[in-house]
Amino acid sequence: MQYNSAMDKISERILQELTRDGRISNLELAERVGLSASACLRRVQDLERRGVIAGYRAVLDRGALGIGFLAYVTVGLNSHTKASQVAFEQAMGRAPEVVECHNITGAVEYILRVEVADLVAYKRFHTDVLGTLPQVNAITSYVVMGSPKDGRG
């Protein structure tokens, strides 16, 4: 991971360690980055205060939650208006199947990360959610077969 050039090497190491394990104790973190516990805590608090560290979250085992199907879905809109974008984004905000929604450049306007139990659940989402939105013009699904590298945990 590359960081802002204004950030020093110790702060970069702190961020790398926290990205790997957000629940690491301050004492263990300090040892790993070569600082005293108090200096390390000050650095972490400064990174939080400046908004570099925006929060901490749990990494979930999707299989244990019954989520066995993952697809990336590109969506093209039939109108390139602000109203179309807002309506689509609001609909995706209400769709629990959509865990990520990104407005992108290129041939389509959006890419979604969709996580559901299985193919039947995905077909239901594709038909009953995406298929009913009047602003949607094109849908292409990319089913994930495996994830040899996934930085989300």
Side-chain angles (χ1 to χ4, degrees):
M1 199 178 305
Q2 293 231 331
Y3 298 102
N4 182 326
S5 61
M7 190 160 316
D8 68 15
K9 296 293 182 196
I10 293 175
S11 291
E12 287 179 10
R13 296 258 341 267
I14 288 171
L15 294 175
Q16 288 170 350
E17 293 297 333
L18 287 173
T19 299
R20 268 195 285 280
D21 181 3
R23 291 181 57 118
I24 188 173
S25 73
N26 183 62
L27 186 58
E28 177 68 21
L29 179 60
E31 288 175 13
R32 288 187 189 179
V33 301
L35 290 175
S36 69
S38 60
C40 185
L41 182 58
R42 280 193 302 275
R43 291 254 190 163
V44 170
Q45 289 171 335
D46 180 61
L47 291 165
E48 291 170 344
R49 182 184 48 74
R50 292 185 327 183
V52 175
I53 297 174
Y56 300 88
R57 61 180 63 158
V59 176
L60 307 177
D61 180 332
R62 284 158 175 74
L65 293 170
I67 298 169
F69 187 92
L70 166 61
Y72 286 93
V73 181
T74 60
V75 178
L77 302 183
N78 56 21
S79 173
H80 301 286
T81 64
K82 181 71 172 172
S84 272
Q85 286 183 329
V86 168
F88 179 77
E89 290 172 9
Q90 287 174 345
M92 294 305 94
R94 292 187 300 271
E97 302 90 347
V98 177
V99 295
E100 293 179 21
C101 175
H102 304 280
N103 183 223
I104 60 173
T105 63
V108 295
E109 285 74 35
Y110 291 91
I111 187 164
L112 312 174
R113 180 182 173 94
V114 177
E115 296 180 355
V116 292
D118 53 27
L119 182 60
V120 171
Y122 178 71
K123 183 174 179 2
R124 188 175 322 112
F125 166 76
H126 187 280
T127 304
D128 297 342
V129 177
L130 289 179
T132 63
L133 296 175
Q135 59 273 28
V136 171
N137 181 49
I139 304 167
T140 304
S141 302
Y142 300 90
V143 177
V144 174
M145 305 293 287
S147 299
K149 181 175 182 180
D150 186 345
R152 293 170 305 105

